[in-house]
Amino acid sequence: MSVVGIDLGFQSCYVAVARAGGIETIANEYSDRCTPACISFGPKNRSIGAAAKSQVISNAKNTVQGFKRFHGRAFSDPFVEAEKSNLAYDIVQLPTGLTGIKVPCFYTDAERRSVMDATQIAGLNCLRLMNETTAVALAYGIYKQDLPALEEKPRNVVFVDMGHSAYQVSVCAFNRGKLKVLATAFDTTLGGRKFDEVLVNHFCEEFGKKYKLDIKSKIRALLRLSQECEKLKKLMSANASDLPLSIECFMNDVDVSGTMNRGKFLEMCNDLLARVEPPLRSVLEQTKLKKEDIYAVEIVGGATRIPAVKEKISKFFGKELSTTLNADEAVTRGCALQCAILSPAFKVREFSITDVVPYPISLRWNSPAEEGSSDCEVFSKNHAAPFSKVLTFYRKEPFTLEAYYSSPQDLPYPDPAIAQFSVQKVTPQSDGSSSKVKVKVRVNVHGIFSVSSASLVEVHKSEENEEPMETDQNAKEEEKMQVDQEEPHVEEQQQQTPAENKAESEEMETSQAGSKDKKMDQPPQAKKAKVKTSTVDLPIENQLLWQIDREMLNLYIENEGKMIMQDKLEKERNDAKNAVEEYVYEMRDKLSGEYEKFVSEDDRNSFTLKLEDTENWLYEDGEDQPKQVYVDKLAELKNLGQPIKIRFQESEERPKLFEELGKQIQQYMKIISSFKNKEDQYDHLDAADMTKVEKSTNEAMEWMNNKLNLQNKQSLTMDPVVKSKEIEAKIKELTSTCSPIISKPKPKVEPPKEEQKNAEQNGPVDGQGDNPGPQAAEQGTDTAVPSDSDKKLPEMDID
């Protein structure tokens, strides 16, 4: 089981995997850890990543890039309308009104739901959608050993992430094993792309005057200029001198050239650089921190490499910037760490993460007592997430809650609506009074808002002389426990939900029942004594705005599966075609090289002609054939070429194997001679067995000499008389017959028992006393009782 973190950026993406040794950013098929976020659609298959990037100009109309900005947006969104004119490809409206195709911290509910749908279509099990700045903070903090203890003042760190399309800032408080995001701010359109556009517009104007070219009318020319301007921008980050920009055959076979330096470039970008400070100032205002309270400022993202951007950030905080993290891979590493924390397959250091809600969320509903609607804010800006609350309503019939963002001026698009949630099957009490309905709202780990559950509290009156049932007390205790668990910040919630709101939390209901009941159209309070309550779960219907329904999602999943299969089949077809082409080139070269001696001249000429015909066929009729045609064509060629290849391989391996067989025969003949000479080393072997060894050796020698003579008479252009497998089998047969016989161990000779007994009775000799000499010690080793230390030796582990 493995877990991965994915940083899907505007321009490129990175994938990190959690392994036993830590977090590793993995490389793609081109051995590059950076994969372009690009897809190219061909007539039969798709190209993804680097393969698609190479087709941006040649297949501009069918190559999609920069689609991250369209997640969850309406086709009628002004942003989409503005972007359409700059796209080389077309976007169309889907039945839902969407434009169709790690997330930034400013992503809204619809954008997050769109990304979750995309993960399902891709067949991924998404454990968490993580804000980019939060992922960076996790990658920064989890390895820090010097963080303050939980009871001490936290360490405040600012994270600045300026990528290709957006600019994000967050302030995080660190304690040992704990990360809390305090505030976030952002500029959703400020990034490296804006700096590229400044250069593109400048050179479009310059080349228009200098060469009379209308560059923006030709999308391919504009894409080429954009690529060159991006390279020029990166060069200016490291060089302050004048740098050239030259493009050959740019438009109408005209070569263009120009120059740019860093100073002039910064003058042109003054408006963009002025937008760097406001988000920095905003996070300090939100958290009420001073610049002196900031421990460090960590920068990530490709656009933070622009010297002027770094200078602006450093000057604002009055301190040197920290670059301890990999600017490109910090986000994906943080995501992989979060996945490892959530996965049961990995044991990771405990590290809690508290994120925030980027926009305040409110609920609106129709009031039965008053004409019009009422609303309240359920989650304020920078509220901790994930989080849930329980709201109480008093209703006699089903009702609808409308969720929306209460600060539309902060949104990246104008529509503040999130979704509508209809609470069904609400009925009055048995006496006709309004029923208490408890609605649980939450922001989950993905940052997505929902009404997760609703329940109706039924009140059952008992007889006056009947004591309250035990279930009544249990229900109250359970209700109280639920309030304590789901609303840990009652004081904060009371500040967020003023008395005029028509919804209230459980804690507010119990403490301020009298004043709230009138506002919520509550009937006269039922007698607390002699009643019992029960809860009934209510169904909820969701009407998510700009969200594809389940049927459409299943259709996309099915289509994605078909495209994956089509891509696989097309890859196999191309591999089969390439195999034929590769075999043609390989055999044509070897027929005039190392295979030349192993094929007759007539066969070589006919085979060469066949190879040439196949090559011509590949570039004509065989350009686009089914996979099986290529497989059959390769098999036809191999029927002619494989015998030649086998003859060559046999000529290479046969002499080595014959040499090995000869060495085995010589070795056994030498042992047989030693046995006949009655040498001590082999005098324990049985004569009958050695006769068997001698017979097998002589037969092997005769077989080898016979095959060698026949093979030497055979032409190299003919199939060999003996093959390598036969020689290997003969070696194995000889070894299995002779080796067990000649490797029999010599039996051990034990001294007679009487001699041992006499030696023990005689005792020490020649005045040696109790200290035996080396010889005596040596002779006594067989009979001596081992000491304790000798007994323990075999049990020791030797490293």
Side-chain angles (χ1 to χ4, degrees):
M1 179 179 180
S2 62
V3 294
V4 299
I6 302 175
D7 174 16
L8 179 59
F10 182 93
Q11 192 180 34
S12 58
C13 60
Y14 293 83
V15 179
V17 61
R19 292 185 174 136
I23 305 299
E24 178 185 352
T25 305
I26 58 178
N28 55 25
E29 66 270 26
Y30 297 92
S31 300
D32 191 356
R33 293 191 291 189
C34 173
T35 300
C38 193
I39 303 173
S40 182
F41 294 88
K44 290 187 176 181
N45 67 320
R46 300 173 297 177
S47 299
I48 300 174
K53 184 73 174 177
S54 63
Q55 301 180 41
V56 166
I57 297 174
S58 60
N59 189 23
K61 284 286 184 182
N62 298 310
T63 302
V64 182
Q65 58 180 340
F67 42 79
K68 179 179 176 180
R69 55 193 148 163
F70 299 130
H71 270 300
R73 290 185 181 268
F75 188 80
S76 57
D77 192 321
F79 174 82
V80 176
E81 295 294 328
E83 288 289 327
K84 281 198 302 183
S85 59
N86 298 326
L87 298 177
Y89 50 90
D90 296 328
I91 56 176
V92 296
Q93 183 171 354
L94 296 179
T96 57
L98 291 175
T99 52
I101 325 216
K102 122 213 152 187
V103 296
C105 64
F106 55 79
Y107 257 24
T108 62
D109 200 84
E111 290 169 311
R112 292 172 187 271
R113 290 181 188 274
S114 177
V115 175
M116 290 300 295
D117 288 342
T119 61
Q120 291 188 56
I121 294 171
L124 300 176
N125 177 22
C126 182
L127 297 180
R128 177 170 183 172
L129 282 186
M130 198 170 189
N131 291 334
E132 290 173 352
T133 50
T134 307
V136 172
L138 176 60
Y140 172 87
I142 196 169
Y143 295 111
K144 296 291 182 183
Q145 301 291 335
D146 58 345
L147 294 177
L150 292 175
E151 64 276 5
E152 297 178 4
K153 182 179 179 181
R155 178 181 298 175
N156 300 316
V157 181
V158 173
F159 295 94
V160 180
D161 179 4
M162 184 181 287
H164 191 69
S165 63
Y167 173 40
Q168 307 169 66
V169 182
S170 70
V171 178
C172 301
F174 289 94
N175 288 96
R176 193 170 302 155
K178 181 180 178 182
L179 154 65
K180 183 177 181 181
V181 181
L182 302 180
T184 60
F186 36 78
D187 187 328
T188 60
T189 59
L190 179 62
R193 187 166 66 109
K194 286 293 182 183
F195 291 92
D196 294 344
E197 288 177 2
V198 170
L199 288 174
V200 170
N201 292 333
H202 168 77
F203 283 110
C204 281
E205 184 179 350
E206 179 180 322
F207 294 159
K209 294 178 180 178
K210 189 174 179 181
Y211 300 101
K212 308 298 181 185
L213 298 174
D214 185 8
I215 298 174
K216 292 187 177 180
S217 65
K218 300 290 184 181
I219 191 63
R220 290 188 177 182
L222 187 61
L223 289 172
R224 287 187 66 189
L225 181 60
S226 298
Q227 290 180 350
E228 294 300 323
C229 286
E230 183 183 352
K231 295 176 184 177
L232 181 63
K233 179 194 68 176
K234 293 178 180 179
L235 289 174
M236 284 191 291
S237 295
N239 299 277
S241 58
D242 289 346
L243 295 172
L245 183 144
S246 301
I247 308 176
E248 296 181 357
C249 298
F250 181 57
M251 277 183 68
N252 306 326
D253 294 330
V254 176
D255 299 339
V256 297
S257 62
T259 59
M260 178 60 64
N261 59 58
R262 187 192 295 176
K264 185 178 179 180
F265 175 57
L266 295 181
E267 289 179 9
M268 292 159 39
C269 297
N270 279 334
D271 292 343
L272 297 178
L273 294 173
R275 294 164 60 181
V276 173
E277 286 190 10
L280 303 176
R281 191 176 296 107
S282 175
V283 291
L284 293 183
E285 291 173 355
Q286 292 176 47
T287 56
K288 298 180 180 179
L289 294 174
K290 298 178 181 179
K291 296 177 183 178
E292 296 77 18
D293 298 330
I294 303 301
Y295 176 81
V297 180
E298 189 77 27
I299 59 172
V300 295
T304 56
R305 295 187 175 97
I306 299 175
V309 173
K310 289 195 287 188
E311 184 182 351
K312 282 276 187 183
I313 300 171
S314 178
K315 185 177 179 181
F316 177 83
F317 287 103
K319 60 177 62 183
E320 289 292 325
L321 302 180
S322 174
T323 55
T324 59
L325 297 175
N326 186 312
D328 297 318
E329 301 175 9
V331 174
T332 187
R333 292 177 67 85
C335 289
L337 280 167
Q338 175 66 91
C339 283
I341 292 172
L342 296 175
S343 172
F346 293 88
K347 186 177 181 181
V348 186
R349 180 187 307 160
E350 291 186 8
F351 204 86
S352 67
I353 303 167
T354 304
D355 215 326
V356 294
V357 178
Y359 309 104
I361 300 175
S362 296
L363 284 178
R364 183 186 295 120
W365 63 91
N366 291 325
S367 175
E370 304 173 5
E371 293 185 0
S373 60
S374 303
D375 58 6
C376 76
E377 186 176 275
V378 289
F379 294 107
S380 62
K381 181 178 174 63
N382 293 329
H383 194 290
F387 197 80
S388 62
K389 289 184 179 181
V390 176
L391 308 176
T392 303
F393 296 85
Y394 292 90
R395 292 290 185 274
K396 295 181 180 180
E397 58 187 16
F399 60 99
T400 300
L401 300 173
E402 180 184 350
Y404 66 96
Y405 292 113
S406 48
S407 60
Q409 68 277 5
D410 297 334
L411 295 175
Y413 52 80
D415 189 0
I418 299 176
Q420 289 184 351
F421 305 92
S422 298
V423 182
Q424 305 292 317
K425 296 186 178 180
V426 179
T427 58
Q429 294 294 318
S430 57
D431 59 358
S433 60
S434 298
S435 297
K436 182 196 293 185
V437 180
K438 295 192 290 185
V439 177
K440 184 177 180 181
V441 297
R442 66 193 296 256
V443 174
N444 62 16
V445 293
H446 307 301
I448 296 174
F449 175 84
S450 65
V451 174
S452 59
S453 65
S455 60
L456 184 144
V457 180
E458 293 183 339
V459 179
H460 306 278
K461 292 184 179 180
S462 59
E463 298 291 337
E464 290 186 3
N465 57 355
E466 184 181 350
E467 295 184 0
M469 296 181 65
E470 185 179 355
T471 55
D472 180 27
Q473 183 66 23
N474 291 343
K476 290 182 179 179
E477 291 178 0
E478 181 182 350
E479 181 178 338
K480 184 176 184 301
M481 182 174 64
Q482 184 181 17
V483 172
D484 293 339
Q485 291 177 348
E486 294 181 343
E487 299 191 75
H489 305 294
V490 176
E491 294 181 3
E492 178 186 346
Q493 188 172 357
Q494 289 174 350
Q495 294 172 2
Q496 295 169 356
T497 310
E500 60 269 22
N501 288 340
K502 300 302 185 283
E504 57 186 5
S505 65
E506 284 292 326
E507 187 67 24
M508 291 175 63
E509 178 199 347
T510 56
S511 63
Q512 301 178 4
S515 59
K516 300 296 180 184
D517 293 346
K518 295 180 181 179
K519 300 293 183 180
M520 298 294 292
D521 304 311
Q522 180 187 357
Q525 186 176 5
K527 294 180 180 181
K528 293 185 178 179
K530 300 180 182 179
V531 295
K532 65 176 182 177
T533 61
S534 61
T535 58
V536 178
D537 292 336
L538 300 176
I540 302 171
E541 287 187 4
N542 301 335
Q543 296 180 7
L544 304 174
L545 301 180
W546 314 123
Q547 178 82 8
I548 56 178
D549 56 28
R550 190 68 210 177
E551 183 179 352
M552 184 67 70
L553 182 62
N554 289 335
L555 178 62
Y556 291 156
I557 294 173
E558 182 182 349
N559 289 340
E560 174 64 16
K562 290 179 180 178
M563 285 191 285
I564 290 174
M565 184 57 65
Q566 180 63 31
D567 293 342
K568 182 180 179 182
L569 293 175
E570 184 63 16
K571 183 179 182 301
E572 291 176 353
R573 191 188 73 85
N574 286 328
D575 289 344
K577 179 182 177 182
N578 293 336
V580 175
E581 187 176 24
E582 181 182 352
Y583 190 79
V584 168
Y585 292 145
E586 177 189 0
M587 291 304 296
R588 190 165 56 188
D589 291 341
K590 289 185 176 180
L591 283 175
S592 57
E594 55 189 17
Y595 291 175
E596 186 176 7
K597 296 185 296 182
F598 302 93
V599 59
S600 64
E601 189 166 346
D602 292 341
D603 290 344
R604 181 169 59 250
N605 292 336
S606 61
F607 191 25
T608 302
L609 184 61
K610 182 71 173 177
L611 294 173
E612 290 177 357
D613 292 342
T614 303
E615 182 182 10
N616 295 331
W617 174 81
L618 281 172
Y619 296 111
E620 295 172 359
D621 296 339
E623 179 68 29
D624 187 13
Q625 294 291 332
K627 171 188 172 183
Q628 192 59 42
V629 174
Y630 297 119
V631 172
D632 295 341
K633 181 66 71 173
L634 181 61
E636 182 183 348
L637 294 177
K638 283 189 173 182
N639 285 336
L640 299 175
Q642 197 65 16
I644 303 172
K645 183 179 179 180
I646 290 174
R647 289 197 288 269
F648 169 76
Q649 292 175 343
E650 288 290 332
S651 71
E652 294 288 315
E653 296 174 6
R654 190 170 52 248
K656 299 175 184 177
L657 292 172
F658 269 134
E659 182 180 0
E660 182 181 350
L661 178 59
K663 288 181 178 179
Q664 290 279 5
I665 292 172
Q666 288 179 4
Q667 179 184 358
Y668 294 140
M669 292 296 290
K670 185 177 179 181
I671 293 172
I672 292 169
S673 176
S674 299
F675 175 77
K676 290 180 177 180
N677 294 332
K678 298 183 178 181
E679 294 183 5
D680 294 341
Q681 186 178 358
Y682 302 104
D683 61 357
H684 64 283
L685 298 178
D686 186 65
D689 290 340
M690 290 305 295
T691 303
K692 184 178 179 182
V693 170
E694 184 177 8
K695 181 181 178 183
S696 298
T697 305
N698 291 333
E699 288 176 353
M701 183 186 298
E702 183 181 354
W703 180 88
M704 184 181 71
N705 292 333
N706 182 36
K707 295 297 182 182
L708 278 173
N709 292 332
L710 292 175
Q711 184 60 48
N712 290 334
K713 297 176 183 179
Q714 185 83 339
S715 171
L716 292 176
T717 60
M718 303 293 291
D719 290 339
V721 174
V722 59
K723 295 185 177 180
S724 302
K725 289 184 178 180
E726 297 178 42
I727 306 175
E728 289 175 350
K730 180 60 69 175
I731 294 173
K732 186 176 180 181
E733 178 188 348
L734 182 62
T735 304
S736 62
T737 302
C738 302
S739 184
I741 296 174
I742 64 174
S743 59
K744 283 182 180 179
K746 197 170 185 179
K748 293 183 179 180
V749 180
E750 296 183 1
K753 292 183 179 180
E754 292 183 0
E755 293 181 4
Q756 292 181 11
K757 187 174 181 180
N758 292 336
E760 290 175 3
Q761 291 176 354
N762 290 339
V765 184
D766 296 332
Q768 292 173 354
D770 295 332
N771 298 321
Q775 286 184 340
E778 200 173 312
Q779 292 174 359
T781 52
D782 292 336
T783 59
V785 179
S787 63
D788 293 339
S789 60
D790 292 336
K791 290 180 181 179
K792 293 180 181 178
L793 280 176
E795 299 177 5
M796 293 175 64
D797 292 331
I798 300 176
D799 295 330

